[in-house]
Short mmCIF file of all heavy atoms in Angstrom, two decimals:
data_model
loop_
_atom_site.label_atom_id
_atom_site.label_comp_id
_atom_site.label_asym_id
_atom_site.label_seq_id
_atom_site.Cartn_x
_atom_site.Cartn_y
_atom_site.Cartn_z
N PRO A 180 153.88 124.92 122.48
CA PRO A 180 152.98 123.69 122.34
C PRO A 180 151.56 124.08 122.55
O PRO A 180 150.68 123.33 121.99
CB PRO A 180 153.54 122.66 123.20
CG PRO A 180 154.95 123.06 123.51
CD PRO A 180 154.89 124.65 123.48
N SER A 181 151.30 125.01 123.41
CA SER A 181 149.92 125.32 123.71
C SER A 181 149.76 126.82 124.18
O SER A 181 150.65 127.24 124.86
CB SER A 181 149.51 124.54 124.94
OG SER A 181 148.21 124.96 125.39
N LEU A 182 148.90 127.47 123.58
CA LEU A 182 148.55 128.90 123.94
C LEU A 182 148.09 129.03 125.39
O LEU A 182 148.12 130.20 125.89
CB LEU A 182 147.47 129.44 123.14
CG LEU A 182 147.90 129.70 121.59
CD1 LEU A 182 146.80 130.33 120.82
CD2 LEU A 182 149.04 130.72 121.63
N GLU A 183 147.82 127.91 126.07
CA GLU A 183 147.62 127.97 127.51
C GLU A 183 148.84 128.53 128.37
O GLU A 183 148.67 128.92 129.47
CB GLU A 183 147.07 126.57 127.98
CG GLU A 183 145.78 126.20 127.43
CD GLU A 183 145.44 124.77 127.82
OE1 GLU A 183 145.86 124.38 128.99
OE2 GLU A 183 144.78 124.01 127.07
N ALA A 184 150.02 128.58 127.67
CA ALA A 184 151.09 129.11 128.27
C ALA A 184 151.16 130.55 128.33
O ALA A 184 151.93 131.23 129.05
CB ALA A 184 152.45 128.56 127.66
N TYR A 185 150.31 131.30 127.55
CA TYR A 185 150.29 132.73 127.51
C TYR A 185 149.37 133.28 128.58
O TYR A 185 148.54 132.70 129.22
CB TYR A 185 149.59 133.18 126.11
CG TYR A 185 150.50 133.23 124.92
CD1 TYR A 185 151.44 132.16 124.72
CD2 TYR A 185 150.42 134.27 124.04
CE1 TYR A 185 152.30 132.25 123.72
CE2 TYR A 185 151.32 134.37 122.92
CZ TYR A 185 152.29 133.38 122.80
OH TYR A 185 153.15 133.24 121.66
N ARG A 186 149.75 134.50 128.92
CA ARG A 186 148.92 135.31 129.95
C ARG A 186 147.59 135.76 129.29
O ARG A 186 147.70 136.28 128.26
CB ARG A 186 149.67 136.47 130.43
CG ARG A 186 149.04 137.14 131.58
CD ARG A 186 150.09 138.30 132.29
NE ARG A 186 150.51 139.22 131.33
CZ ARG A 186 150.00 140.39 131.23
NH1 ARG A 186 149.20 140.97 132.02
NH2 ARG A 186 150.51 141.29 130.23
N VAL A 187 146.55 135.51 130.05
CA VAL A 187 145.13 135.85 129.38
C VAL A 187 144.66 137.13 130.24
O VAL A 187 144.66 137.21 131.50
CB VAL A 187 144.17 134.68 129.67
CG1 VAL A 187 142.87 135.03 129.20
CG2 VAL A 187 144.64 133.57 128.98
N VAL A 188 144.23 138.09 129.33
CA VAL A 188 143.74 139.21 129.95
C VAL A 188 142.21 139.30 129.46
O VAL A 188 142.01 139.33 128.18
CB VAL A 188 144.40 140.57 129.57
CG1 VAL A 188 143.67 141.89 129.99
CG2 VAL A 188 145.87 140.55 129.91
N LYS A 189 141.25 139.20 130.38
CA LYS A 189 139.85 139.10 130.10
C LYS A 189 139.13 140.31 130.79
O LYS A 189 139.26 140.43 132.18
CB LYS A 189 139.19 137.83 130.45
CG LYS A 189 137.81 137.59 130.27
CD LYS A 189 137.31 136.12 130.71
CE LYS A 189 135.90 136.12 130.51
NZ LYS A 189 135.13 136.78 131.68
N ASP A 190 138.37 141.09 130.05
CA ASP A 190 137.81 142.33 130.66
C ASP A 190 138.66 143.20 131.43
O ASP A 190 138.30 143.76 132.50
CB ASP A 190 136.57 141.72 131.48
CG ASP A 190 135.51 140.92 130.69
OD1 ASP A 190 135.38 141.21 129.56
OD2 ASP A 190 135.03 140.04 131.25
N GLY A 191 139.87 143.30 130.88
CA GLY A 191 140.73 144.27 131.49
C GLY A 191 141.57 143.66 132.66
O GLY A 191 142.48 144.35 133.28
N HIS A 192 141.36 142.33 133.08
CA HIS A 192 142.10 141.84 134.25
C HIS A 192 142.72 140.47 133.79
O HIS A 192 142.28 139.72 132.98
CB HIS A 192 141.03 141.52 135.43
CG HIS A 192 140.29 142.88 135.79
ND1 HIS A 192 140.84 143.78 136.61
CD2 HIS A 192 139.03 143.21 135.48
CE1 HIS A 192 139.99 144.64 136.84
NE2 HIS A 192 138.85 144.46 136.04
N VAL A 193 143.78 140.19 134.52
CA VAL A 193 144.48 138.85 134.33
C VAL A 193 143.51 137.71 134.56
O VAL A 193 142.75 137.78 135.69
CB VAL A 193 145.76 138.85 135.04
CG1 VAL A 193 146.27 137.36 134.94
CG2 VAL A 193 146.81 139.84 134.58
N TYR A 194 143.38 136.75 133.76
CA TYR A 194 142.30 135.67 133.94
C TYR A 194 142.96 134.37 134.09
O TYR A 194 143.84 134.02 133.18
CB TYR A 194 141.34 135.81 132.88
CG TYR A 194 140.18 134.74 132.90
CD1 TYR A 194 139.16 134.81 133.72
CD2 TYR A 194 140.29 133.56 132.15
CE1 TYR A 194 138.18 133.87 133.89
CE2 TYR A 194 139.16 132.68 132.21
CZ TYR A 194 138.15 132.82 133.05
OH TYR A 194 137.24 131.88 133.18
N ARG A 195 142.63 133.55 135.02
CA ARG A 195 143.27 132.15 135.18
C ARG A 195 142.04 131.27 135.31
O ARG A 195 141.05 131.46 136.00
CB ARG A 195 144.20 132.04 136.23
CG ARG A 195 145.51 132.87 136.14
CD ARG A 195 146.35 132.75 137.29
NE ARG A 195 147.55 133.53 137.15
CZ ARG A 195 147.65 134.80 137.58
NH1 ARG A 195 146.65 135.40 138.14
NH2 ARG A 195 148.82 135.43 137.55
N ALA A 196 142.06 130.15 134.59
CA ALA A 196 140.99 129.11 134.71
C ALA A 196 141.53 127.76 134.22
O ALA A 196 142.33 127.70 133.37
CB ALA A 196 139.65 129.45 133.96
N ALA A 197 141.05 126.77 134.87
CA ALA A 197 141.49 125.39 134.46
C ALA A 197 140.85 124.85 133.16
O ALA A 197 141.39 124.01 132.57
CB ALA A 197 141.09 124.41 135.65
N ASP A 198 139.83 125.62 132.71
CA ASP A 198 139.09 125.03 131.53
C ASP A 198 139.30 125.76 130.22
O ASP A 198 138.61 125.69 129.33
CB ASP A 198 137.51 124.96 131.86
CG ASP A 198 136.99 126.51 131.88
OD1 ASP A 198 137.77 127.40 132.03
OD2 ASP A 198 135.68 126.64 131.69
N LEU A 199 140.40 126.50 130.07
CA LEU A 199 140.79 127.25 129.01
C LEU A 199 141.06 126.33 127.82
O LEU A 199 141.76 125.42 127.96
CB LEU A 199 142.05 128.17 129.18
CG LEU A 199 141.88 129.32 130.19
CD1 LEU A 199 143.23 130.01 130.36
CD2 LEU A 199 140.86 130.29 129.49
N ASN A 200 140.47 126.68 126.58
CA ASN A 200 140.70 126.05 125.40
C ASN A 200 140.98 127.14 124.33
O ASN A 200 140.35 128.09 124.33
CB ASN A 200 139.48 125.29 124.92
CG ASN A 200 139.48 123.84 125.44
OD1 ASN A 200 140.60 123.15 125.60
ND2 ASN A 200 138.38 123.16 125.63
N PHE A 201 141.92 126.85 123.41
CA PHE A 201 142.20 127.79 122.34
C PHE A 201 142.22 126.95 120.95
O PHE A 201 142.58 125.95 120.92
CB PHE A 201 143.65 128.35 122.51
CG PHE A 201 143.81 129.28 123.62
CD1 PHE A 201 144.21 128.82 124.97
CD2 PHE A 201 143.57 130.74 123.57
CE1 PHE A 201 144.32 129.69 125.97
CE2 PHE A 201 143.55 131.52 124.68
CZ PHE A 201 144.00 130.94 125.91
N TRP A 202 141.75 127.58 119.95
CA TRP A 202 141.79 127.02 118.67
C TRP A 202 141.61 128.07 117.60
O TRP A 202 141.28 129.24 117.89
CB TRP A 202 140.78 125.93 118.43
CG TRP A 202 139.33 126.27 118.40
CD1 TRP A 202 138.50 126.75 117.37
CD2 TRP A 202 138.39 126.32 119.51
NE1 TRP A 202 137.29 126.90 117.72
CE2 TRP A 202 137.09 126.70 119.03
CE3 TRP A 202 138.54 126.11 120.88
CZ2 TRP A 202 135.98 126.87 119.88
CZ3 TRP A 202 137.38 126.21 121.67
CH2 TRP A 202 136.23 126.65 121.17
N GLY A 203 141.97 127.74 116.29
CA GLY A 203 141.79 128.59 115.21
C GLY A 203 142.54 129.78 115.11
O GLY A 203 142.12 130.86 115.08
N VAL A 204 143.86 129.66 115.28
CA VAL A 204 144.76 130.81 115.13
C VAL A 204 144.89 131.39 113.77
O VAL A 204 144.69 130.69 112.73
CB VAL A 204 146.26 130.40 115.37
CG1 VAL A 204 147.28 131.58 115.37
CG2 VAL A 204 146.28 129.98 117.06
N THR A 205 144.96 132.72 113.60
CA THR A 205 145.06 133.46 112.35
C THR A 205 146.00 134.55 112.67
O THR A 205 145.97 135.21 113.58
CB THR A 205 143.74 133.95 111.77
OG1 THR A 205 143.92 134.62 110.48
CG2 THR A 205 143.11 134.90 112.75
N PHE A 206 146.89 134.89 111.75
CA PHE A 206 148.03 135.80 111.92
C PHE A 206 147.83 137.10 111.08
O PHE A 206 147.30 137.16 110.05
CB PHE A 206 149.39 135.20 111.39
CG PHE A 206 149.87 134.07 112.10
CD1 PHE A 206 149.63 132.74 111.72
CD2 PHE A 206 150.50 134.16 113.42
CE1 PHE A 206 150.07 131.65 112.47
CE2 PHE A 206 151.01 133.03 114.13
CZ PHE A 206 150.83 131.83 113.65
#
Side-chain angles (χ1 to χ4, degrees):
S181 174
L182 285 180
E183 294 172 31
Y185 276 41
R186 183 169 63 105
V187 177
V188 178
K189 178 176 174 288
D190 301 326
H192 303 282
V193 175
Y194 179 78
R195 297 181 179 87
D198 69 342
L199 287 176
N200 268 329
F201 293 92
W202 67 88
V204 174
T205 183
F206 293 99

